[in-house]
Amino acid sequence: MNVGSRPRMDQAHVPGEGRGVVDPTLQTIRTEVAVIGSGPGGAVTACLLAEAGRDVLLIEEGPFLPLEATVPFTMGEMISKYRNGGVTVAMGSTKVAYVEGRCVGGGSEINSGLYHRTPPAILETWRRDYQVDGLNDSDLARHFEACERDVSVSLMPGALPPASLKLHEGAQRLGWKSLEVPRWFRYDSPAEPNAVPRPKGDRQSMTRTFIPRALYSGCRLLPNTRARKLRRLGGRWHISAQVQDPGAPRRAIEIEAGSVFVCGGAIQTPAILRRSGITRNVGNSLKMHPTVKVVARFPETVNSSAMEVPVHQVKEFAPRFSFGCSISSTPYLALGLSDHPAHLGEVHANWPRMAVYYAMITGEGSGSVRGVPGFSDALVRYAVTPQDLADLSDALRALCRLLFQAGAEVLYPSVSSFQPLYTEADVARIPDGLPKGRTNLMTIHLFSTCPMGENPRLCATDSFGKVHGHDGLYIADASLLCTAPGVNPQGSIMAIARRNALKFLGQL
Ligand SMILES: Cc1cc2nc3c(=O)[nH]c(=O)nc-3n(C[C@H](O)[C@H](O)[C@H](O)COP(=O)(O)OP(=O)(O)OC[C@H]3O[C@@H](n4cnc5c(N)ncnc54)[C@H](O)[C@@H]3O)c2cc1C
């Protein structure tokens, strides 16, 4: 397509649809910088570049919905803000179910907001093995601090959720390290008059923070638009994309940019690059935090329809594994009991006394992302190793012990055909190495498919996210994290995106 020959170009914005949303009928758009994907990596990048006066177009496959368009952690939210309604799986002898956000703001719109900085020991591994320059604790400190201010990282005021406190209580009895994890939440903003009810406080997702800032600074937003392929022509990047406005037929759009930041997340970024023939160290090294769940029933009430997001994590065994309490609404309890169908009735009868807990390992396994001709979804594979199954087993045993110490009367681990546990002595029934194929693993943390660094054997980009061997092409998302960080990753993704955007602007 001859960019520039179309009658309707650039600058047009749809009146009334909000500042910066691009006229969806355009057929070609020219921009200085295109950012593909508006999750934490893409939103931070687009915002900083727009605030520095760059002409930025932010392209997002999913819809532009306000945070309060859906009630958090409901089926409605999964249908409208998750990729494939939340049904996605990494194939392998032990499958791992995973989920990704697919909306303006990406995963930040649907997550729990639990915040950690990257542990110094992890940064040390990245510097040593991947030869990442400029990634000391002190190099990152100012980026962490800035992002923490920008998204209001803070502790939960008032009484903490009882199911979360149970975890803390069990850890204290065993003398294990447990902490309240801060979140990107503001607790001072009053609920809007007609808003759908949501838990106390206001999650500082990307649509609440970096995206409005980006739009205010002139960034243009193209939602419902899937970038399919990139190609380099005449020293510029051309992005073939497809607009998928709800209720309208799909149509092609061509975007021409001087520089492109690919920020589709750890699965979609390598998928886009591989579709475009960019394959060196791309999509070969998927890492994740494989997670096993346990549903616990206590003698007293620990759950309610107004329960806040649980905030405690047990870090006694980190980085090998950690525990936490999950969202425990009735659909999540029912899902957690799907390995114990004879006990599903418990959810209806006893849900106020029940909650879901997880044990998450750092994981030494690895996986890949590959395109499949004729399919829009990539094939994701992940090999859980025998050591991972052993770590999961140790983690599950320790978590079950802790929950019995906290007073649980029955535990249902997410392992098919496994009898429920009724006493601490039953914990010994958990085998060394969880059974392959029968253990139902999931993850919400995916990374490392395009590692950054100067090690030519391992890295897809340089130390600051520029794709090796490709001028004007950058990555800024979870794909860059060299290995699994062992902690909730969004803090690392935002800080590294900020550092790399400032490097691009010559302001680092
Ligand atoms: C349920 C859940 C709970 C979580 N809880 C926490 C937590 O408490 N704390 C924490 O730190 N982390 C949490 N995470 C993880 C965190 O949300 C992710 O690590 C983070 O969002 C990843 O950021 P990203 O920028 O790499 O990609 P994403 O957030 O995945 O954003 C990528 C965006 O790119 C878009 N995109 C993809 N492909 C294309 C394409 N071809 N064209 C256009 N757009 C495209 C996607 O639609 C998406 O919106 C959670 C995740 C989930 C799913």
Side-chain angles (χ1 to χ4, degrees):
M1 186 178 290
N2 180 10
V3 176
S5 65
R6 300 284 168 182
R8 309 191 56 210
M9 288 279 295
D10 288 342
Q11 311 306 334
H13 296 165
V14 179
E17 282 223 15
R19 187 191 280 267
V21 177
V22 176
D23 179 345
T25 63
L26 288 176
Q27 292 174 329
T28 58
I29 302 179
R30 192 181 292 143
T31 183
E32 186 184 351
V33 182
V35 177
I36 301 172
S38 63
V44 169
T45 304
C47 174
L48 293 187
L49 268 46
E51 288 182 343
R54 300 301 173 99
D55 171 30
V56 181
L57 177 73
L58 180 55
I59 305 160
E60 168 56 50
E61 182 176 351
F64 188 13
L65 298 168
L67 188 61
E68 58 278 7
T70 54
V71 179
F73 313 114
T74 58
M75 193 63 98
E77 184 177 73
M78 290 182 94
I79 290 165
S80 49
K81 295 187 179 174
Y82 281 55
R83 183 171 298 277
N84 298 335
V87 185
T88 29
V89 72
M91 307 303 285
S93 56
T94 301
K95 296 182 198 56
V96 187
Y98 69 88
V99 287
E100 298 169 277
R102 184 185 159 278
C103 55
V104 173
S108 77
E109 305 301 310
I110 58 173
N111 68 27
S112 300
L114 298 168
Y115 177 85
H116 287 276
R117 292 186 179 191
T118 325
I122 294 286
L123 293 178
E124 159 70 27
T125 309
W126 295 356
R127 286 197 306 273
R128 188 192 57 223
D129 297 346
Y130 292 78
Q131 298 163 16
V132 188
D133 296 336
L135 199 71
N136 280 316
D137 220 16
S138 57
D139 296 321
L140 274 189
R142 69 184 171 112
H143 305 296
F144 285 128
E145 282 160 18
C147 292
E148 286 159 13
R149 267 194 313 274
D150 288 341
V151 298
S152 312
V153 170
S154 48
L155 294 172
M156 188 182 272
L160 300 179
S164 186
L165 285 167
K166 280 283 176 198
L167 193 80
H168 189 56
E169 211 180 292
Q172 282 190 319
R173 293 229 168 94
L174 290 161
W176 293 350
K177 186 174 154 201
S178 153
L179 62 140
E180 180 193 340
V181 180
R183 294 192 304 156
W184 41 89
F185 253 71
R186 284 187 65 170
Y187 295 97
D188 52 359
S189 49
E192 286 145 31
N194 297 320
V196 176
R198 57 177 191 272
K200 191 171 63 179
D202 200 9
R203 179 170 35 188
Q204 296 300 289
S205 70
M206 295 301 111
T207 60
R208 278 284 201 268
T209 54
F210 288 99
I211 289 172
R213 269 174 58 185
L215 299 184
Y216 186 79
S217 297
C219 169
R220 291 170 293 165
L221 173 64
L222 192 57
N224 301 311
T225 302
R226 178 168 193 258
R228 295 184 61 245
K229 262 188 190 172
L230 314 175
R231 61 192 198 289
R232 186 91 170 145
L233 281 177
R236 288 175 67 80
W237 285 100
H238 291 248
I239 305 169
S240 314
Q242 200 166 46
V243 181
Q244 309 172 333
D245 281 325
R250 293 182 178 191
R251 56 180 195 82
I253 186 168
E254 184 86 5
I255 295 142
E256 186 197 311
S259 303
V260 175
F261 284 78
V262 188
C263 311
I267 303 298
Q268 307 307 323
T269 285
I272 298 166
L273 292 176
R274 293 193 70 92
R275 275 200 298 275
S276 309
I278 299 164
T279 56
R280 190 171 145 217
N281 297 327
V282 168
N284 301 336
S285 49
L286 171 68
K287 300 283 178 190
M288 58 172 71
H289 291 149
T291 301
V292 61
K293 295 211 167 176
V294 181
V295 175
R297 190 186 75 215
F298 293 93
E300 68 275 34
T301 298
V302 294
N303 198 350
S304 74
S305 53
M307 184 167 117
E308 301 287 335
V309 169
V311 287
H312 288 95
Q313 286 180 349
V314 175
K315 288 288 179 191
E316 178 71 17
F317 308 97
R320 201 169 146 233
F321 54 80
S322 10
F323 320 134
C325 179
S326 292
I327 302 301
S328 299
S329 56
T330 47
Y332 283 81
L333 286 169
L335 195 64
L337 278 188
S338 56
D339 293 308
H340 303 269
H343 300 268
L344 257 176
E346 279 256 35
V347 177
H348 183 65
N350 295 320
W351 72 267
R353 296 196 282 127
M354 298 169 79
V356 185
Y357 295 86
Y358 66 84
M360 162 186 115
I361 63 165
T362 295
E364 64 156 34
S366 188
S368 63
V369 178
R370 290 288 182 273
V372 185
F375 288 86
S376 60
D377 286 327
L379 172 64
V380 178
R381 282 179 285 204
Y382 185 81
V384 177
T385 67
Q387 182 59 48
D388 288 340
L389 290 168
D391 285 351
L392 282 160
S393 171
D394 287 350
L396 183 61
R397 282 193 193 125
L399 174 60
C400 290
R401 228 185 116 204
L402 177 153
L403 292 170
F404 281 122
Q405 287 287 325
E409 24 180 60
V410 58
L411 300 179
Y412 301 100
S414 57
V415 180
S416 295
S417 331
F418 198 78
Q419 290 304 307
L421 312 178
Y422 294 97
T423 67
E424 202 169 326
D426 286 346
V427 173
R429 281 203 278 112
I430 297 174
D432 296 334
L434 290 186
K436 233 183 188 177
R438 280 204 294 123
T439 304
N440 289 307
L441 300 178
M442 58 82 62
T443 191
I444 50 177
H445 298 162
L446 303 146
F447 349 83
S448 316
T449 44
C450 307
M452 60 183 166
E454 308 303 328
N455 183 335
R457 201 172 47 80
L458 300 174
C459 302
T461 78
D462 72 7
S463 299
F464 297 90
K466 181 183 171 300
V467 179
H468 284 301
H470 294 273
D471 284 344
L473 184 60
Y474 299 81
I475 296 173
D477 62 18
S479 327
L480 290 181
L481 309 194
C482 302
T483 62
V487 294
N488 302 67
Q490 190 179 311
S492 307
I493 296 164
M494 292 190 299
I496 291 169
R498 185 178 191 278
R499 158 188 177 268
N500 295 359
L502 293 182
K503 173 79 175 175
F504 175 85
L505 291 166
Q507 294 176 7
L508 196 62

XYZ file of all heavy atoms in Angstrom, residues 94-127:
261
model
N 2.819 -31.920 31.259
C 1.941 -31.337 32.281
C 1.539 -29.978 31.739
O 2.384 -29.095 31.597
C 2.685 -31.178 33.621
O 3.133 -32.481 34.014
C 1.792 -30.598 34.691
N 0.276 -29.831 31.378
C -0.161 -28.567 30.767
C -0.210 -27.469 31.818
O -0.451 -27.738 32.992
C -1.550 -28.723 30.153
C -1.603 -29.698 29.011
C -2.991 -29.747 28.427
C -3.206 -30.988 27.594
N -2.953 -32.240 28.316
N -0.003 -26.236 31.372
C -0.107 -25.101 32.291
C -1.118 -24.110 31.698
O -0.882 -23.555 30.616
C 1.256 -24.394 32.497
C 1.134 -23.340 33.591
C 2.359 -25.389 32.838
N -2.236 -23.908 32.382
C -3.221 -22.920 31.924
C -2.653 -21.533 32.245
O -2.074 -21.331 33.311
C -4.533 -23.130 32.659
N -2.785 -20.606 31.298
C -2.310 -19.244 31.576
C -3.344 -18.253 31.079
O -4.233 -18.609 30.286
C -0.940 -18.985 30.922
C -0.965 -18.925 29.411
C -1.210 -17.735 28.737
C -0.761 -20.075 28.645
C -1.243 -17.685 27.357
C -0.795 -20.031 27.262
C -1.030 -18.828 26.625
O -1.072 -18.784 25.265
N -3.282 -17.018 31.566
C -4.208 -15.984 31.088
C -3.432 -14.711 30.766
O -2.400 -14.435 31.349
C -5.326 -15.658 32.112
C -6.331 -16.779 32.185
C -4.764 -15.375 33.497
N -3.998 -13.949 29.808
C -3.414 -12.657 29.415
C -4.547 -11.646 29.297
O -5.642 -11.999 28.848
C -2.809 -12.736 28.019
C -1.676 -13.676 27.797
C -1.412 -13.794 26.295
O -2.103 -14.573 25.622
O -0.531 -13.087 25.797
N -4.253 -10.397 29.633
C -5.212 -9.325 29.378
C -5.239 -9.014 27.894
O -4.234 -9.173 27.195
N -6.399 -8.605 27.401
C -6.512 -8.171 26.005
C -7.487 -7.002 25.972
O -8.677 -7.178 25.712
C -7.000 -9.327 25.125
C -7.049 -8.984 23.630
C -7.659 -10.134 22.853
N -8.162 -9.700 21.570
C -9.345 -9.116 21.384
N -10.141 -8.893 22.402
N -9.728 -8.767 20.169
N -6.994 -5.841 26.322
C -7.796 -4.629 26.361
C -6.812 -3.474 26.522
O -5.633 -3.720 26.819
C -8.769 -4.658 27.546
S -7.963 -4.917 29.134
N -7.281 -2.250 26.337
C -6.377 -1.124 26.567
C -5.949 -1.178 28.043
O -6.789 -1.260 28.932
C -7.063 0.220 26.208
C -6.179 1.399 26.619
C -7.363 0.271 24.709
N -4.655 -1.189 28.275
C -4.110 -1.343 29.635
C -3.581 -2.745 29.894
O -2.882 -2.973 30.881
N -3.951 -3.717 29.036
C -3.439 -5.089 29.150
C -3.682 -5.686 30.521
O -4.719 -5.450 31.160
N -2.718 -6.459 31.003
C -2.861 -7.180 32.271
C -3.129 -6.273 33.453
O -3.725 -6.710 34.444
N -2.732 -5.001 33.365
C -2.917 -4.110 34.523
C -4.393 -3.863 34.820
O -4.739 -3.447 35.925
C -2.220 -2.766 34.279
O -2.977 -1.958 33.406
N -5.267 -4.098 33.833
C -6.707 -3.851 34.027
C -7.385 -4.989 34.786
O -8.507 -4.823 35.264
C -7.405 -3.668 32.666
C -6.793 -2.589 31.798
C -6.797 -1.213 32.458
O -7.864 -0.804 32.936
O -5.726 -0.568 32.483
N -6.729 -6.136 34.829
C -7.406 -7.317 35.397
C -6.636 -7.919 36.561
O -7.062 -8.896 37.148
C -7.595 -8.410 34.314
C -6.239 -8.820 33.703
C -8.551 -7.941 33.229
C -6.329 -10.001 32.748
N -5.472 -7.350 36.885
C -4.647 -8.046 37.884
C -4.928 -7.560 39.305
O -5.762 -6.687 39.536
C -3.165 -8.021 37.499
C -2.540 -6.647 37.551
O -2.979 -5.798 38.298
N -1.509 -6.442 36.750
N -4.190 -8.150 40.251
C -4.446 -7.862 41.662
C -3.682 -6.659 42.169
O -3.893 -6.224 43.293
C -4.064 -9.077 42.518
O -4.820 -10.183 42.135
N -2.731 -6.189 41.381
C -2.006 -4.978 41.767
C -0.926 -5.197 42.805
O -0.450 -4.237 43.417
N -0.492 -6.443 43.021
C 0.527 -6.705 44.054
C 1.898 -6.309 43.523
O 2.312 -6.753 42.450
C 0.517 -8.187 44.433
C -0.801 -8.674 45.045
C -0.824 -10.190 45.119
C -0.999 -8.075 46.440
N 2.600 -5.487 44.288
C 3.818 -4.848 43.768
C 5.082 -5.327 44.459
O 5.159 -5.364 45.694
C 3.714 -3.330 43.966
C 4.960 -2.603 43.516
C 5.124 -2.243 42.191
C 5.983 -2.301 44.413
C 6.276 -1.595 41.758
C 7.139 -1.656 43.992
C 7.277 -1.309 42.667
O 8.420 -0.674 42.242
N 6.090 -5.671 43.653
C 7.442 -5.939 44.161
C 8.445 -5.265 43.240
O 8.212 -5.174 42.031
C 7.760 -7.446 44.098
C 7.048 -8.274 45.115
N 7.513 -8.430 46.401
C 5.926 -9.016 45.032
C 6.702 -9.243 47.064
N 5.719 -9.600 46.260
N 9.590 -4.884 43.801
C 10.736 -4.540 42.962
C 11.440 -5.841 42.555
O 11.258 -6.867 43.214
C 11.719 -3.667 43.726
C 11.168 -2.288 44.039
C 12.240 -1.421 44.671
N 11.724 -0.082 44.947
C 12.470 0.949 45.307
N 13.781 0.791 45.445
N 11.939 2.131 45.532
N 12.249 -5.800 41.503
C 13.017 -6.994 41.101
C 14.053 -7.295 42.192
O 14.808 -6.393 42.578
C 13.789 -6.736 39.785
O 13.011 -5.888 38.947
C 14.133 -8.021 39.080
N 14.102 -8.529 42.697
C 15.097 -8.833 43.736
C 16.525 -8.615 43.210
O 16.829 -8.996 42.080
C 14.855 -10.313 44.047
C 13.466 -10.587 43.561
C 13.236 -9.678 42.396
N 17.417 -8.025 44.034
C 18.802 -7.771 43.592
C 19.508 -9.029 43.081
O 20.274 -8.960 42.123
C 19.477 -7.220 44.855
C 18.357 -6.642 45.661
C 17.145 -7.466 45.363
N 19.253 -10.195 43.702
C 19.941 -11.428 43.265
C 19.538 -11.789 41.828
O 20.328 -12.346 41.066
C 19.608 -12.571 44.210
N 18.294 -11.470 41.454
C 17.835 -11.759 40.083
C 18.548 -10.819 39.105
O 19.019 -11.239 38.042
C 16.297 -11.598 40.004
C 15.598 -12.656 40.864
C 15.793 -11.626 38.568
C 15.613 -14.057 40.295
N 18.647 -9.550 39.478
C 19.342 -8.588 38.604
C 20.790 -9.032 38.403
O 21.334 -8.933 37.305
C 19.294 -7.181 39.223
C 17.912 -6.524 39.301
C 18.010 -5.161 39.982
C 17.297 -6.367 37.907
N 21.372 -9.557 39.458
C 22.767 -10.034 39.386
C 22.878 -11.184 38.362
O 23.792 -11.201 37.537
C 23.176 -10.469 40.810
C 24.338 -11.418 40.935
C 25.671 -10.776 40.586
O 25.771 -9.554 40.755
O 26.570 -11.497 40.102
N 21.913 -12.112 38.392
C 21.915 -13.222 37.417
C 21.796 -12.675 35.996
O 22.468 -13.138 35.081
C 20.701 -14.154 37.673
O 20.687 -14.488 39.032
C 20.721 -15.390 36.825
N 20.924 -11.700 35.803
C 20.726 -11.150 34.456
C 21.999 -10.475 33.963
O 22.369 -10.597 32.808
C 19.549 -10.158 34.449
C 18.228 -10.802 34.763
C 17.979 -12.131 34.962
C 16.968 -10.141 34.919
N 16.646 -12.329 35.259
C 16.005 -11.136 35.232
C 16.555 -8.817 34.849
C 14.660 -10.838 35.447
C 15.219 -8.511 35.063
C 14.275 -9.516 35.357
N 22.664 -9.753 34.885
C 23.907 -9.066 34.487
C 24.985 -10.099 34.147
O 25.691 -9.972 33.158
C 24.416 -8.170 35.622
C 23.617 -6.898 35.827
C 24.394 -5.892 36.658
N 24.861 -6.439 37.922
C 24.151 -6.445 39.045
N 22.942 -5.900 39.072
N 24.642 -6.953 40.152
